[in-house]
Structure formats: C-alpha cells, structure tokens
Amino acid sequence: MTEAGLDAAARSLRGWLNRQQFSDLSTAEVTAFFTDSVTDWATDQGYEVQREVELPTATRQNRIGRLDLQLRHRSGKGRLISIEVDRGTKAWSLEKLVQAAALGHLALWLRWSRTPVTLPIPPTVRLIRAQVLRRTTLTGAKVYSLRPDNCG
C-alpha cells in the first residue's frame, strides 16, 4: 500500500474485492471466500495474516473478543490491520473493531449482504459492503453470488 491510513486500506481492499466474483456458494463458502480473498489481498500487499486473534482488552460480559483477521506488515512498519468478515449486522463485530481501533489498529468491517447496516459506524472503522445476490435453488437451498464491481 503506497498510501497510509484507514481510508487507504479500505480503498485498496475495495479495489481488490471489486475484481472478485463467485456463483452459487453457501453461507459458509461465502465467508470462506471473503476470508481467503482478504488473505490474498493482504499477502499481495506485504502483510502476514493471522486468523482468530484474541483482543487483549476487556470485552462485554467478560467475553473474549477474537478478530477474524489481523494483518502485520512484513517490514515491521505501519499499524496492525484488524478485520471482521460478517454476513449480518453484528454489534459484537463492531464492538471488537472499535476496541482494536482504540489500540491503534486500522479497523475494517467487511460485510457481505444486500441489506443496509443499521448500526452507526464510528469514524475509527471503515465499512466495506459486498453486495451479494441471493437466490433459492429448486431444492430450497439459499445460495449467493458476487459479480465484479459490487463492493463499496
């Protein structure tokens, strides 16, 4: 990433995701696709990726917060990037990202759904929305697809 900061990270990841596509994946497969895609983006940008990283801060109801992804640049320079990948609007995900931002991390929330986010997003977190399409198959299964240029 040639630019520094939260907006630059969000812009770069959006650009990467806007080149991605998939068809007819299950909920679990979509989450895995986005997690793997973010990992590929991070690796391409020179980051080491850790999955399911515990937050060192106290959390609600003494619950341990785990971030889906945490990125550390291989050069040792720059801030950590903390990322949550969700289908729904989870207040808990946003709380974890707010905590990560308070620790000095760049906080990105990748949410894949067509429904709008109903929570107010604080200025320390950037929301990336992947506008997936959902359809029901003849067997009643719900499957999802993503076309290029559908991440904003």
Side-chain angles (χ1 to χ4, degrees), residues 32-43:
F33 175 89
F34 280 120
T35 301
D36 292 343
S37 190
V38 171
T39 298
D40 292 343
W41 165 78
T43 302

Side-chain angles (χ1 to χ4, degrees), residues 5-6 55-58 67 69-70 79-84 92-109 121-127:
L6 184 56
L55 278 166
T57 58
L67 297 162
L69 297 166
Q70 190 172 78
R79 295 161 61 187
L80 293 174
I81 301 176
S82 293
I83 301 173
E84 283 289 297
W92 176 232
S93 291
L94 187 56
E95 288 173 33
K96 290 186 288 184
L97 289 169
V98 168
Q99 289 178 28
L103 293 169
H105 304 190
L106 301 177
L108 303 175
W109 189 13
I121 306 298
T124 57
V125 176
R126 290 298 175 271
L127 174 66

Side-chain angles (χ1 to χ4, degrees), residues 16-116:
W16 179 275
L17 292 172
N18 274 320
R19 296 189 301 270
Q20 309 303 312
Q21 63 182 357
F22 57 81
S23 295
D24 295 343
L25 298 182
S26 69
T27 299
E29 290 170 326
V30 173
T31 298
F33 175 89
F34 280 120
T35 301
D36 292 343
S37 190
V38 171
T39 298
D40 292 343
W41 165 78
T43 302
D44 186 67
Q45 298 298 313
Y47 287 87
E48 295 173 350
V49 179
Q50 289 186 287
R51 295 179 185 217
E52 296 297 321
V53 177
E54 282 189 22
L55 278 166
T57 58
T59 59
R60 68 176 180 163
Q61 302 168 351
N62 293 323
R63 184 175 172 188
I64 295 174
R66 286 189 178 83
L67 297 162
D68 291 333
L69 297 166
Q70 190 172 78
L71 317 178
R72 179 183 311 277
H73 201 272
R74 285 191 287 268
S75 69
K77 297 179 182 176
R79 295 161 61 187
L80 293 174
I81 301 176
S82 293
I83 301 173
E84 283 289 297
V85 178
D86 291 309
R87 182 181 82 179
T89 303
K90 297 180 182 176
W92 176 232
S93 291
L94 187 56
E95 288 173 33
K96 290 186 288 184
L97 289 169
V98 168
Q99 289 178 28
L103 293 169
H105 304 190
L106 301 177
L108 303 175
W109 189 13
L110 172 54
R111 185 171 171 279
W112 61 271
S113 176
R114 293 189 65 81
T115 60

